[in-house]
Amino acid sequence: MSSPQYQHLLTEQDGATVRITMNRPNRRNSLSSAHLAELKQAFEAAAETKATGIVLAGAGPVFSSGHDFGDMADRDLAGMREMLRLCESLMRTIHAVPQVVIARVHALAMAAGCQLVASCDLAVAAESAAFALPGGKGGWFCHTPAVPVARSIGRKRLMEMALTGDPIDAATAERWGLINRVVPDAELDAAVDDLLARATRGSRQAKAVGKQTLYAQLDRPEADAYAIATEVMAGTSQSADAREQTQAFLAKRKPTFEG
């Protein structure tokens, strides 16, 4: 069921999946401060459920056109910092929630919309989708959207996207590592559901700790990454689900997980 408490979103829990849909089609799902705050609230609410996966989508003609310039035009320096820090907080919340988060991308994901895609754990796009960091064409560079995009596609490809501002098509985004899959438009929902089902099977608790540990060790020096991963892996070996996995393997039976 859709949640009435949001002005800019539609939310629905479908079994083990929470679906969050940006719903500002007349503004091309641009990310005003109010929209960003609602997205953060929706992800935090989803984190408190027993859901195992979250799908982030956009209603209307595009996935998201990025920050809402109408909301930004009259902001002073302090106001801009506040808005950009709220956006950063949303991206960090996507990483922090225990669920697997997958972006369902159609049409255009631009600037902070592309940042959203790069910040999700997984992403599936329709063949008609395109991705852009358009600041390179104008007077205000895409500094913050470039942060997660760089961590997905690497330095040279990031530089091309950021400096030219030119969009890349879905096939290029897949080849560069910005998204996981590109599929015909008519198959987008089925592909999202298939990847999410495979990414959420197993222990919910183990998956949540696993996701959060992956983000903690990414981009760390190898020794630091091993130190983080070793301690977490040793600690979680004592969990009920980990013990059940071992016992089920030895008994040659299917495990039954608590979480």
Side-chain angles (χ1 to χ4, degrees):
M1 295 179 61
S2 298
S3 299
Q5 70 265 34
Y6 300 115
Q7 180 181 356
H8 304 301
L9 303 177
L10 300 173
T11 64
E12 177 186 17
Q13 183 157 357
D14 176 16
T17 301
V18 172
R19 300 182 189 275
I20 300 173
T21 303
M22 295 177 285
N23 192 37
R24 300 185 77 206
N26 59 323
R27 298 289 297 172
R28 296 169 66 83
N29 293 323
S30 57
L31 300 170
S32 65
S33 182
H35 190 183
L36 289 167
E38 286 193 356
L39 280 167
K40 185 172 185 292
Q41 181 184 349
F43 275 100
E44 290 171 342
E48 297 301 316
T49 72
K50 294 297 185 181
T52 57
I54 300 172
V55 176
L56 177 63
V62 303
F63 176 79
S64 175
S65 59
H67 286 303
D68 186 339
F69 278 23
D71 181 57
M72 294 160 41
D74 295 327
R75 288 179 181 267
D76 60 10
L77 178 59
M80 286 301 302
R81 282 187 179 134
E82 180 182 21
M83 185 273 293
L84 290 171
R85 285 170 179 163
L86 174 59
C87 185
E88 176 191 349
S89 180
L90 167 62
M91 305 303 164
R92 291 185 178 276
T93 298
I94 291 171
H95 287 183
V97 298
Q99 291 86 0
V100 176
V101 181
I102 185 167
R104 176 202 181 277
V105 189
H106 74 289
L108 184 63
M110 180 183 292
C114 190
Q115 182 181 4
L116 269 177
V117 175
S119 295
C120 289
D121 306 320
L122 303 167
V124 177
E127 287 177 338
S128 61
F131 304 82
L133 299 178
K137 291 183 175 181
W140 194 38
F141 205 75
C142 286
H143 298 282
T144 53
V147 173
V149 174
R151 284 156 174 76
S152 296
I153 67 176
R155 182 179 299 181
K156 296 299 186 185
R157 288 164 174 169
L158 179 278
M159 286 294 186
E160 181 175 341
M161 285 191 73
L163 295 175
T164 69
D166 293 335
I168 59 172
D169 60 23
T172 302
E174 181 187 32
R175 189 170 70 251
W176 286 6
L178 183 60
I179 61 174
N180 299 87
R181 303 279 186 280
V182 54
V183 298
D185 289 38
E187 299 175 15
L188 180 56
D189 287 320
V192 167
D193 290 346
D194 173 72
L195 180 56
L196 187 62
R198 291 186 290 113
T200 55
R201 60 194 170 195
S203 165
R204 179 183 185 276
Q205 180 185 24
K207 194 84 66 173
V209 176
K211 166 184 164 172
Q212 291 161 357
T213 304
L214 287 174
Y215 281 121
Q217 59 96 354
L218 284 172
D219 303 316
R220 298 287 188 96
E222 185 177 62
D224 291 350
Y226 267 121
I228 292 168
T230 297
E231 185 58 31
V232 174
M233 195 164 186
T236 56
S237 71
Q238 305 305 300
S239 71
D241 281 352
R243 290 183 180 278
E244 167 64 6
Q245 178 71 62
T246 301
Q247 291 166 4
F249 177 82
L250 294 173
K252 298 182 180 180
R253 60 174 174 81
K254 186 176 181 178
T256 302
F257 298 121
E258 292 183 0

mmCIF file with all atom_site columns, all heavy atoms in Angstrom, residues 43-64:
data_model
loop_
_atom_site.group_PDB
_atom_site.id
_atom_site.type_symbol
_atom_site.label_atom_id
_atom_site.label_alt_id
_atom_site.label_comp_id
_atom_site.label_asym_id
_atom_site.label_entity_id
_atom_site.label_seq_id
_atom_site.pdbx_PDB_ins_code
_atom_site.Cartn_x
_atom_site.Cartn_y
_atom_site.Cartn_z
_atom_site.occupancy
_atom_site.B_iso_or_equiv
_atom_site.pdbx_formal_charge
_atom_site.auth_seq_id
_atom_site.auth_comp_id
_atom_site.auth_asym_id
_atom_site.auth_atom_id
_atom_site.pdbx_PDB_model_num
ATOM 1   N N   . PHE A 1 43 ? 13.969 5.508   3.728   1.00 0.00 ? 43 PHE A N   1
ATOM 2   C CA  . PHE A 1 43 ? 14.983 4.462   3.900   1.00 0.00 ? 43 PHE A CA  1
ATOM 3   C C   . PHE A 1 43 ? 15.144 4.096   5.369   1.00 0.00 ? 43 PHE A C   1
ATOM 4   O O   . PHE A 1 43 ? 15.289 2.914   5.714   1.00 0.00 ? 43 PHE A O   1
ATOM 5   C CB  . PHE A 1 43 ? 16.322 4.904   3.303   1.00 0.00 ? 43 PHE A CB  1
ATOM 6   C CG  . PHE A 1 43 ? 16.443 4.629   1.833   1.00 0.00 ? 43 PHE A CG  1
ATOM 7   C CD1 . PHE A 1 43 ? 16.232 5.628   0.906   1.00 0.00 ? 43 PHE A CD1 1
ATOM 8   C CD2 . PHE A 1 43 ? 16.747 3.365   1.371   1.00 0.00 ? 43 PHE A CD2 1
ATOM 9   C CE1 . PHE A 1 43 ? 16.328 5.381   -0.459  1.00 0.00 ? 43 PHE A CE1 1
ATOM 10  C CE2 . PHE A 1 43 ? 16.855 3.092   0.017   1.00 0.00 ? 43 PHE A CE2 1
ATOM 11  C CZ  . PHE A 1 43 ? 16.641 4.107   -0.900  1.00 0.00 ? 43 PHE A CZ  1
ATOM 12  N N   . GLU A 1 44 ? 15.106 5.087   6.248   1.00 0.00 ? 44 GLU A N   1
ATOM 13  C CA  . GLU A 1 44 ? 15.210 4.797   7.675   1.00 0.00 ? 44 GLU A CA  1
ATOM 14  C C   . GLU A 1 44 ? 14.011 3.976   8.155   1.00 0.00 ? 44 GLU A C   1
ATOM 15  O O   . GLU A 1 44 ? 14.162 3.060   8.981   1.00 0.00 ? 44 GLU A O   1
ATOM 16  C CB  . GLU A 1 44 ? 15.316 6.097   8.460   1.00 0.00 ? 44 GLU A CB  1
ATOM 17  C CG  . GLU A 1 44 ? 16.649 6.810   8.254   1.00 0.00 ? 44 GLU A CG  1
ATOM 18  C CD  . GLU A 1 44 ? 16.691 8.204   8.839   1.00 0.00 ? 44 GLU A CD  1
ATOM 19  O OE1 . GLU A 1 44 ? 15.610 8.785   9.106   1.00 0.00 ? 44 GLU A OE1 1
ATOM 20  O OE2 . GLU A 1 44 ? 17.805 8.733   9.027   1.00 0.00 ? 44 GLU A OE2 1
ATOM 21  N N   . ALA A 1 45 ? 12.819 4.298   7.630   1.00 0.00 ? 45 ALA A N   1
ATOM 22  C CA  . ALA A 1 45 ? 11.636 3.523   8.006   1.00 0.00 ? 45 ALA A CA  1
ATOM 23  C C   . ALA A 1 45 ? 11.740 2.085   7.494   1.00 0.00 ? 45 ALA A C   1
ATOM 24  O O   . ALA A 1 45 ? 11.391 1.134   8.198   1.00 0.00 ? 45 ALA A O   1
ATOM 25  C CB  . ALA A 1 45 ? 10.382 4.200   7.461   1.00 0.00 ? 45 ALA A CB  1
ATOM 26  N N   . ALA A 1 46 ? 12.222 1.926   6.267   1.00 0.00 ? 46 ALA A N   1
ATOM 27  C CA  . ALA A 1 46 ? 12.379 0.583   5.696   1.00 0.00 ? 46 ALA A CA  1
ATOM 28  C C   . ALA A 1 46 ? 13.379 -0.234  6.509   1.00 0.00 ? 46 ALA A C   1
ATOM 29  O O   . ALA A 1 46 ? 13.216 -1.448  6.673   1.00 0.00 ? 46 ALA A O   1
ATOM 30  C CB  . ALA A 1 46 ? 12.832 0.679   4.246   1.00 0.00 ? 46 ALA A CB  1
ATOM 31  N N   . ALA A 1 47 ? 14.410 0.433   7.027   1.00 0.00 ? 47 ALA A N   1
ATOM 32  C CA  . ALA A 1 47 ? 15.433 -0.265  7.805   1.00 0.00 ? 47 ALA A CA  1
ATOM 33  C C   . ALA A 1 47 ? 14.850 -0.906  9.059   1.00 0.00 ? 47 ALA A C   1
ATOM 34  O O   . ALA A 1 47 ? 15.402 -1.896  9.567   1.00 0.00 ? 47 ALA A O   1
ATOM 35  C CB  . ALA A 1 47 ? 16.551 0.699   8.191   1.00 0.00 ? 47 ALA A CB  1
ATOM 36  N N   . GLU A 1 48 ? 13.753 -0.366  9.557   1.00 0.00 ? 48 GLU A N   1
ATOM 37  C CA  . GLU A 1 48 ? 13.141 -0.883  10.776  1.00 0.00 ? 48 GLU A CA  1
ATOM 38  C C   . GLU A 1 48 ? 12.197 -2.049  10.512  1.00 0.00 ? 48 GLU A C   1
ATOM 39  O O   . GLU A 1 48 ? 11.668 -2.645  11.452  1.00 0.00 ? 48 GLU A O   1
ATOM 40  C CB  . GLU A 1 48 ? 12.381 0.245   11.492  1.00 0.00 ? 48 GLU A CB  1
ATOM 41  C CG  . GLU A 1 48 ? 13.261 1.388   11.951  1.00 0.00 ? 48 GLU A CG  1
ATOM 42  C CD  . GLU A 1 48 ? 14.353 0.930   12.905  1.00 0.00 ? 48 GLU A CD  1
ATOM 43  O OE1 . GLU A 1 48 ? 14.041 0.133   13.812  1.00 0.00 ? 48 GLU A OE1 1
ATOM 44  O OE2 . GLU A 1 48 ? 15.514 1.348   12.725  1.00 0.00 ? 48 GLU A OE2 1
ATOM 45  N N   . THR A 1 49 ? 11.954 -2.375  9.257   1.00 0.00 ? 49 THR A N   1
ATOM 46  C CA  . THR A 1 49 ? 11.075 -3.484  8.915   1.00 0.00 ? 49 THR A CA  1
ATOM 47  C C   . THR A 1 49 ? 11.865 -4.787  8.802   1.00 0.00 ? 49 THR A C   1
ATOM 48  O O   . THR A 1 49 ? 13.090 -4.789  8.867   1.00 0.00 ? 49 THR A O   1
ATOM 49  C CB  . THR A 1 49 ? 10.356 -3.220  7.582   1.00 0.00 ? 49 THR A CB  1
ATOM 50  O OG1 . THR A 1 49 ? 11.306 -3.341  6.498   1.00 0.00 ? 49 THR A OG1 1
ATOM 51  C CG2 . THR A 1 49 ? 9.729  -1.831  7.545   1.00 0.00 ? 49 THR A CG2 1
ATOM 52  N N   . LYS A 1 50 ? 11.138 -5.877  8.588   1.00 0.00 ? 50 LYS A N   1
ATOM 53  C CA  . LYS A 1 50 ? 11.772 -7.178  8.380   1.00 0.00 ? 50 LYS A CA  1
ATOM 54  C C   . LYS A 1 50 ? 12.073 -7.438  6.896   1.00 0.00 ? 50 LYS A C   1
ATOM 55  O O   . LYS A 1 50 ? 12.464 -8.551  6.526   1.00 0.00 ? 50 LYS A O   1
ATOM 56  C CB  . LYS A 1 50 ? 10.865 -8.287  8.911   1.00 0.00 ? 50 LYS A CB  1
ATOM 57  C CG  . LYS A 1 50 ? 10.672 -8.251  10.425  1.00 0.00 ? 50 LYS A CG  1
ATOM 58  C CD  . LYS A 1 50 ? 11.986 -8.466  11.152  1.00 0.00 ? 50 LYS A CD  1
ATOM 59  C CE  . LYS A 1 50 ? 11.780 -8.561  12.659  1.00 0.00 ? 50 LYS A CE  1
ATOM 60  N NZ  . LYS A 1 50 ? 13.070 -8.737  13.375  1.00 0.00 ? 50 LYS A NZ  1
ATOM 61  N N   . ALA A 1 51 ? 11.887 -6.429  6.068   1.00 0.00 ? 51 ALA A N   1
ATOM 62  C CA  . ALA A 1 51 ? 12.166 -6.578  4.641   1.00 0.00 ? 51 ALA A CA  1
ATOM 63  C C   . ALA A 1 51 ? 13.634 -6.940  4.418   1.00 0.00 ? 51 ALA A C   1
ATOM 64  O O   . ALA A 1 51 ? 14.507 -6.572  5.206   1.00 0.00 ? 51 ALA A O   1
ATOM 65  C CB  . ALA A 1 51 ? 11.824 -5.300  3.889   1.00 0.00 ? 51 ALA A CB  1
ATOM 66  N N   . THR A 1 52 ? 13.892 -7.643  3.331   1.00 0.00 ? 52 THR A N   1
ATOM 67  C CA  . THR A 1 52 ? 15.268 -7.997  2.974   1.00 0.00 ? 52 THR A CA  1
ATOM 68  C C   . THR A 1 52 ? 15.819 -7.164  1.819   1.00 0.00 ? 52 THR A C   1
ATOM 69  O O   . THR A 1 52 ? 17.021 -7.147  1.596   1.00 0.00 ? 52 THR A O   1
ATOM 70  C CB  . THR A 1 52 ? 15.356 -9.481  2.589   1.00 0.00 ? 52 THR A CB  1
ATOM 71  O OG1 . THR A 1 52 ? 14.445 -9.741  1.509   1.00 0.00 ? 52 THR A OG1 1
ATOM 72  C CG2 . THR A 1 52 ? 15.007 -10.367 3.775   1.00 0.00 ? 52 THR A CG2 1
ATOM 73  N N   . GLY A 1 53 ? 14.932 -6.487  1.081   1.00 0.00 ? 53 GLY A N   1
ATOM 74  C CA  . GLY A 1 53 ? 15.380 -5.709  -0.067  1.00 0.00 ? 53 GLY A CA  1
ATOM 75  C C   . GLY A 1 53 ? 14.590 -4.428  -0.227  1.00 0.00 ? 53 GLY A C   1
ATOM 76  O O   . GLY A 1 53 ? 13.441 -4.325  0.217   1.00 0.00 ? 53 GLY A O   1
ATOM 77  N N   . ILE A 1 54 ? 15.220 -3.427  -0.847  1.00 0.00 ? 54 ILE A N   1
ATOM 78  C CA  . ILE A 1 54 ? 14.580 -2.144  -1.156  1.00 0.00 ? 54 ILE A CA  1
ATOM 79  C C   . ILE A 1 54 ? 14.825 -1.839  -2.627  1.00 0.00 ? 54 ILE A C   1
ATOM 80  O O   . ILE A 1 54 ? 15.964 -1.913  -3.101  1.00 0.00 ? 54 ILE A O   1
ATOM 81  C CB  . ILE A 1 54 ? 15.156 -1.001  -0.297  1.00 0.00 ? 54 ILE A CB  1
ATOM 82  C CG1 . ILE A 1 54 ? 14.945 -1.278  1.194   1.00 0.00 ? 54 ILE A CG1 1
ATOM 83  C CG2 . ILE A 1 54 ? 14.525 0.339   -0.687  1.00 0.00 ? 54 ILE A CG2 1
ATOM 84  C CD1 . ILE A 1 54 ? 15.648 -0.282  2.108   1.00 0.00 ? 54 ILE A CD1 1
ATOM 85  N N   . VAL A 1 55 ? 13.762 -1.499  -3.346  1.00 0.00 ? 55 VAL A N   1
ATOM 86  C CA  . VAL A 1 55 ? 13.868 -1.064  -4.739  1.00 0.00 ? 55 VAL A CA  1
ATOM 87  C C   . VAL A 1 55 ? 13.635 0.434   -4.788  1.00 0.00 ? 55 VAL A C   1
ATOM 88  O O   . VAL A 1 55 ? 12.609 0.929   -4.302  1.00 0.00 ? 55 VAL A O   1
ATOM 89  C CB  . VAL A 1 55 ? 12.847 -1.785  -5.638  1.00 0.00 ? 55 VAL A CB  1
ATOM 90  C CG1 . VAL A 1 55 ? 12.916 -1.237  -7.071  1.00 0.00 ? 55 VAL A CG1 1
ATOM 91  C CG2 . VAL A 1 55 ? 13.086 -3.293  -5.637  1.00 0.00 ? 55 VAL A CG2 1
ATOM 92  N N   . LEU A 1 56 ? 14.569 1.177   -5.367  1.00 0.00 ? 56 LEU A N   1
ATOM 93  C CA  . LEU A 1 56 ? 14.427 2.618   -5.563  1.00 0.00 ? 56 LEU A CA  1
ATOM 94  C C   . LEU A 1 56 ? 14.123 2.881   -7.030  1.00 0.00 ? 56 LEU A C   1
ATOM 95  O O   . LEU A 1 56 ? 14.905 2.496   -7.904  1.00 0.00 ? 56 LEU A O   1
ATOM 96  C CB  . LEU A 1 56 ? 15.698 3.355   -5.152  1.00 0.00 ? 56 LEU A CB  1
ATOM 97  C CG  . LEU A 1 56 ? 15.690 4.876   -5.381  1.00 0.00 ? 56 LEU A CG  1
ATOM 98  C CD1 . LEU A 1 56 ? 14.617 5.554   -4.542  1.00 0.00 ? 56 LEU A CD1 1
ATOM 99  C CD2 . LEU A 1 56 ? 17.065 5.469   -5.091  1.00 0.00 ? 56 LEU A CD2 1
ATOM 100 N N   . ALA A 1 57 ? 13.007 3.541   -7.292  1.00 0.00 ? 57 ALA A N   1
ATOM 101 C CA  . ALA A 1 57 ? 12.575 3.803   -8.664  1.00 0.00 ? 57 ALA A CA  1
ATOM 102 C C   . ALA A 1 57 ? 12.120 5.248   -8.794  1.00 0.00 ? 57 ALA A C   1
ATOM 103 O O   . ALA A 1 57 ? 12.059 5.990   -7.814  1.00 0.00 ? 57 ALA A O   1
ATOM 104 C CB  . ALA A 1 57 ? 11.436 2.846   -9.044  1.00 0.00 ? 57 ALA A CB  1
ATOM 105 N N   . GLY A 1 58 ? 11.790 5.634   -10.019 1.00 0.00 ? 58 GLY A N   1
ATOM 106 C CA  . GLY A 1 58 ? 11.269 6.975   -10.275 1.00 0.00 ? 58 GLY A CA  1
ATOM 107 C C   . GLY A 1 58 ? 10.034 6.901   -11.138 1.00 0.00 ? 58 GLY A C   1
ATOM 108 O O   . GLY A 1 58 ? 9.999  6.146   -12.114 1.00 0.00 ? 58 GLY A O   1
ATOM 109 N N   . ALA A 1 59 ? 9.020  7.667   -10.798 1.00 0.00 ? 59 ALA A N   1
ATOM 110 C CA  . ALA A 1 59 ? 7.806  7.742   -11.603 1.00 0.00 ? 59 ALA A CA  1
ATOM 111 C C   . ALA A 1 59 ? 7.957  8.829   -12.664 1.00 0.00 ? 59 ALA A C   1
ATOM 112 O O   . ALA A 1 59 ? 8.702  9.791   -12.483 1.00 0.00 ? 59 ALA A O   1
ATOM 113 C CB  . ALA A 1 59 ? 6.604  8.050   -10.712 1.00 0.00 ? 59 ALA A CB  1
ATOM 114 N N   . GLY A 1 60 ? 7.257  8.652   -13.781 1.00 0.00 ? 60 GLY A N   1
ATOM 115 C CA  . GLY A 1 60 ? 7.275  9.687   -14.805 1.00 0.00 ? 60 GLY A CA  1
ATOM 116 C C   . GLY A 1 60 ? 8.333  9.494   -15.863 1.00 0.00 ? 60 GLY A C   1
ATOM 117 O O   . GLY A 1 60 ? 8.863  8.394   -16.037 1.00 0.00 ? 60 GLY A O   1
ATOM 118 N N   . PRO A 1 61 ? 8.694  10.572  -16.562 1.00 0.00 ? 61 PRO A N   1
ATOM 119 C CA  . PRO A 1 61 ? 9.527  10.444  -17.762 1.00 0.00 ? 61 PRO A CA  1
ATOM 120 C C   . PRO A 1 61 ? 10.987 10.115  -17.507 1.00 0.00 ? 61 PRO A C   1
ATOM 121 O O   . PRO A 1 61 ? 11.671 9.625   -18.402 1.00 0.00 ? 61 PRO A O   1
ATOM 122 C CB  . PRO A 1 61 ? 9.396  11.815  -18.443 1.00 0.00 ? 61 PRO A CB  1
ATOM 123 C CG  . PRO A 1 61 ? 9.055  12.753  -17.327 1.00 0.00 ? 61 PRO A CG  1
ATOM 124 C CD  . PRO A 1 61 ? 8.209  11.955  -16.380 1.00 0.00 ? 61 PRO A CD  1
ATOM 125 N N   . VAL A 1 62 ? 11.529 10.391  -16.299 1.00 0.00 ? 62 VAL A N   1
ATOM 126 C CA  . VAL A 1 62 ? 12.942 10.101  -16.021 1.00 0.00 ? 62 VAL A CA  1
ATOM 127 C C   . VAL A 1 62 ? 13.085 9.530   -14.619 1.00 0.00 ? 62 VAL A C   1
ATOM 128 O O   . VAL A 1 62 ? 12.210 9.688   -13.766 1.00 0.00 ? 62 VAL A O   1
ATOM 129 C CB  . VAL A 1 62 ? 13.838 11.358  -16.156 1.00 0.00 ? 62 VAL A CB  1
ATOM 130 C CG1 . VAL A 1 62 ? 13.713 11.971  -17.539 1.00 0.00 ? 62 VAL A CG1 1
ATOM 131 C CG2 . VAL A 1 62 ? 13.523 12.381  -15.082 1.00 0.00 ? 62 VAL A CG2 1
ATOM 132 N N   . PHE A 1 63 ? 14.221 8.884   -14.385 1.00 0.00 ? 63 PHE A N   1
ATOM 133 C CA  . PHE A 1 63 ? 14.538 8.390   -13.036 1.00 0.00 ? 63 PHE A CA  1
ATOM 134 C C   . PHE A 1 63 ? 14.742 9.572   -12.094 1.00 0.00 ? 63 PHE A C   1
ATOM 135 O O   . PHE A 1 63 ? 14.036 9.723   -11.106 1.00 0.00 ? 63 PHE A O   1
ATOM 136 C CB  . PHE A 1 63 ? 15.783 7.501   -13.099 1.00 0.00 ? 63 PHE A CB  1
ATOM 137 C CG  . PHE A 1 63 ? 16.254 7.004   -11.756 1.00 0.00 ? 63 PHE A CG  1
ATOM 138 C CD1 . PHE A 1 63 ? 15.621 5.933   -11.143 1.00 0.00 ? 63 PHE A CD1 1
ATOM 139 C CD2 . PHE A 1 63 ? 17.337 7.604   -11.109 1.00 0.00 ? 63 PHE A CD2 1
ATOM 140 C CE1 . PHE A 1 63 ? 16.054 5.472   -9.887  1.00 0.00 ? 63 PHE A CE1 1
ATOM 141 C CE2 . PHE A 1 63 ? 17.775 7.145   -9.873  1.00 0.00 ? 63 PHE A CE2 1
ATOM 142 C CZ  . PHE A 1 63 ? 17.124 6.077   -9.261  1.00 0.00 ? 63 PHE A CZ  1
ATOM 143 N N   . SER A 1 64 ? 15.713 10.425  -12.393 1.00 0.00 ? 64 SER A N   1
ATOM 144 C CA  . SER A 1 64 ? 15.913 11.656  -11.621 1.00 0.00 ? 64 SER A CA  1
ATOM 145 C C   . SER A 1 64 ? 16.845 12.584  -12.390 1.00 0.00 ? 64 SER A C   1
ATOM 146 O O   . SER A 1 64 ? 17.893 12.148  -12.884 1.00 0.00 ? 64 SER A O   1
ATOM 147 C CB  . SER A 1 64 ? 16.502 11.380  -10.241 1.00 0.00 ? 64 SER A CB  1
ATOM 148 O OG  . SER A 1 64 ? 16.789 12.597  -9.565  1.00 0.00 ? 64 SER A OG  1
#
